[in-house]
């Protein structure tokens, strides 16, 4: 009887440690995917880093040696990188979906108010202008946050 894990793994990118710089992180993502454990990436503004498990290290030389032996004896670094890339692929779509959702949440009440006060044509114009303005502001905040704080809205 095989032990079946029914939970999930959560990966949280942050601005202090690149996921790909840490061998334990990339190897655990690979093992979880291999064992069909659900792996979710927390939606943050932090960059996950660059895909190169071969360059990743561990703080413990013994851990690093053991993990590298396991990787080189079985899957290889390319398989590790592929599993991690696939895991992180959905994060960009999640961010886009969140942007659309929050844009709608912000714009619709204003549009509804304008429709009550004026005619329908003006409401459509206001909706389009507000959606564009809000989108530009969200993008600007994202760019500034990445430049100032390495990818988060909070200074470290």
């Amino acid at each position: 009887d095989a032990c079946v894990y029914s939970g999930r793994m959560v990966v949280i990118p942050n601005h202090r440690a690149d996921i790909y710089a840490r061998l334990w992180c990339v190897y655990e993502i690979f093992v979880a995917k291999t064992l069909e454990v659900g792996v979710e990436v927390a939606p943050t503004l932090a960059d996950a880093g660059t895909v190169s498990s071969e360059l990743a290290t561990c703080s413990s030389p013994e851990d690093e040696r053991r993990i590298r032996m396991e990787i080189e004896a079985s899957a290889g670094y390319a398989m590790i990188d592929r599993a991690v890339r696939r895991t992180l692929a959905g994060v960009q779509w999640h961010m886009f979906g969140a942007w659309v959702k929050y844009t709608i949440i912000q714009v619709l009440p204003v549009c509804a108010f304008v429709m009550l006060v004026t005619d329908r044509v003006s409401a459509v114009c206001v909706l389009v202008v507000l959606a564009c303005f809000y989108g530009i502001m969200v993008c600007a905040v994202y760019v500034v946050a990445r430049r100032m704080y390495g990818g988060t809205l909070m200074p470290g």
Side-chain angles (χ1 to χ4, degrees):
D1 285 295
C3 180
V4 177
Y5 180 76
S6 62
R8 65 184 171 147
M9 175 182 181
V10 179
V11 178
I12 305 173
N14 65 77
H15 70 281
R16 293 179 192 228
D18 180 341
I19 289 172
Y20 296 107
R22 304 179 67 197
L23 191 56
W24 266 113
C25 291
V26 293
Y27 188 61
E28 286 176 343
I29 291 170
F30 170 74
V31 169
K33 295 298 271 184
T34 301
L35 296 174
E36 297 181 2
V37 171
V39 179
E40 295 181 29
V41 181
T44 69
L45 293 179
D47 190 12
T50 57
V51 180
S52 180
S53 59
E54 194 165 5
L55 301 176
T57 60
C58 291
S59 58
S60 164
E62 179 58 29
D63 285 352
E64 184 171 338
R65 185 189 63 74
R66 187 175 50 78
I67 293 172
R68 287 194 186 285
M69 282 178 32
E70 288 180 29
I71 291 171
E72 291 165 3
S74 61
Y77 295 104
M79 289 292 290
I80 303 290
D81 293 343
R82 192 172 306 120
V84 175
R85 265 195 309 274
R86 286 183 181 156
T87 300
L88 298 174
V91 174
Q92 291 82 11
W93 286 111
H94 177 81
M95 298 272 301
F96 177 74
W99 174 81
V100 169
K101 174 183 162 187
Y102 291 118
T103 298
I104 291 169
I105 289 171
Q106 295 293 322
V107 172
L108 283 181
V110 173
C111 186
F113 175 75
V114 170
M115 286 175 63
L116 290 173
V117 176
T118 65
D119 64 356
R120 292 183 189 273
V121 175
S122 296
V124 171
C125 292
V126 169
L127 174 66
V128 170
V129 169
L130 285 175
C132 292
F133 177 73
Y134 188 75
I136 291 167
M137 293 304 296
V138 167
C139 291
V141 167
Y142 177 75
V143 169
V144 169
R146 289 200 44 141
R147 287 188 181 160
M148 289 179 65
Y149 305 121
T152 69
L153 292 176
M154 300 301 294

